[in-house]
Amino acid sequence: ARKTIGRHRLAFASVLVIFLLSLAFGIVSTGLMGQLRQERNSAVQAQQRESRLLKSETELRQLADERLTEATQARQTADDEARRARRVLEFMQDFFGTAEYESGPETGLTVKEMLDRAVAQLDRGLAADDAEVEASLRTSLAAAYSRIGYAAPAVTQYQLALAMQERLWGPDHLKPAATMASLAMVQFSATGNADVSLQLCQRALDIQRRELG
């Protein structure tokens, strides 16, 4: 055996060197693989954190945009409501100011006649360019008719206003629901038909429950 080793000492040495190098390479490779795996995991975690931050930033930006849009829409709605209210007030002031001037001992113009004149102007298209304004005017005139005891013309004006509001906002909106409730009360006064009035009240109540909870 010694003679064999002696004769092949160089070969054994070469094999030993190769074995040791392989062992060292395996150890180094294992360490490098572990380090690379750790670095890769760190890179993935960093990328995930960055993605979460970008997602959060995007969500915050979207939320800010949504709030800005909502604020802009709310402001536009408020401006529209104010504009319509001014038009309604101007109509009432102009018309009833003139009617009051015309009414007197000589003419004997009554409140009912003044309301009839206002309705006639609306029927001729005075506010035809703005259906919301016209609907508001007709509900105001309907309420005025009702207060002075004229239920039939009040019903007519509420019905016209309700039809306009349903075309504007749909049949399940809160504005038509409010007009329905008013119409139901006046309808009963005008016709004594409780069934129709109850149906209108129930429909208005259902809409309010859906919209307001």
Side-chain angles (χ1 to χ4, degrees):
R2 289 183 181 179
K3 292 180 180 180
T4 301
I5 293 173
R7 286 196 302 266
H8 301 284
R9 181 174 298 173
L10 181 60
F12 278 111
S14 299
V15 170
L16 181 60
V17 169
I18 291 172
F19 173 75
L20 292 175
L21 287 175
S22 298
L23 181 62
F25 179 76
I27 294 172
V28 171
S29 297
T30 302
L32 288 174
M33 289 295 293
Q35 184 177 356
L36 288 173
R37 189 179 297 109
Q38 184 178 0
E39 290 178 355
R40 185 184 62 185
N41 291 338
S42 298
V44 169
Q45 291 174 358
Q47 187 176 9
Q48 290 175 344
R49 286 195 299 270
E50 184 178 357
S51 298
R52 286 195 296 268
L53 288 173
L54 288 173
K55 183 178 179 182
S56 299
E57 183 180 354
T58 302
E59 290 174 348
L60 287 173
R61 189 180 297 110
Q62 289 175 346
L63 181 61
D65 291 341
E66 290 173 1
R67 294 294 179 266
L68 180 60
T69 300
E70 290 173 0
T72 302
Q73 291 174 345
R75 181 175 179 178
Q76 183 63 47
T77 300
D79 290 343
D80 291 343
E81 292 288 346
R83 177 185 56 79
R84 283 190 289 272
R86 284 195 298 271
R87 285 201 63 184
V88 171
L89 181 60
E90 288 168 1
F91 173 85
M92 293 295 188
Q93 288 175 337
D94 291 345
F95 179 79
F96 288 108
T98 303
E100 183 179 0
Y101 176 77
E102 293 178 356
S103 64
E106 297 81 8
T107 60
L109 191 64
T110 64
V111 174
K112 165 71 164 50
E113 290 169 335
M114 287 190 290
L115 294 174
D116 290 343
R117 286 190 176 189
V119 169
Q121 289 199 32
L122 289 178
D123 290 342
R124 287 194 294 269
L126 179 65
D129 62 322
D130 194 328
E132 290 187 56
V133 170
E134 184 175 354
S136 296
L137 286 168
R138 290 192 184 277
T139 55
S140 297
L141 293 171
Y145 274 124
S146 179
R147 280 195 295 270
I148 62 174
Y150 289 90
V155 168
T156 300
Q157 296 309 306
Y158 274 134
Q159 288 175 336
L160 290 171
L162 178 60
M164 292 177 184
Q165 290 172 339
E166 287 182 335
R167 284 196 299 270
L168 286 167
W169 295 293
D172 297 326
H173 193 275
L174 285 173
K175 286 190 177 182
T179 303
M180 274 180 225
S182 299
L183 174 59
M185 292 185 289
V186 178
Q187 183 87 38
F188 181 74
S189 299
T191 64
N193 190 332
D195 291 338
V196 174
S197 296
L198 287 174
Q199 288 175 3
L200 287 168
C201 283
Q202 186 60 54
R203 185 180 167 195
L205 183 61
D206 290 342
I207 293 171
Q208 290 175 348
R209 284 175 175 169
R210 282 197 303 269
E211 294 298 316
L212 301 177

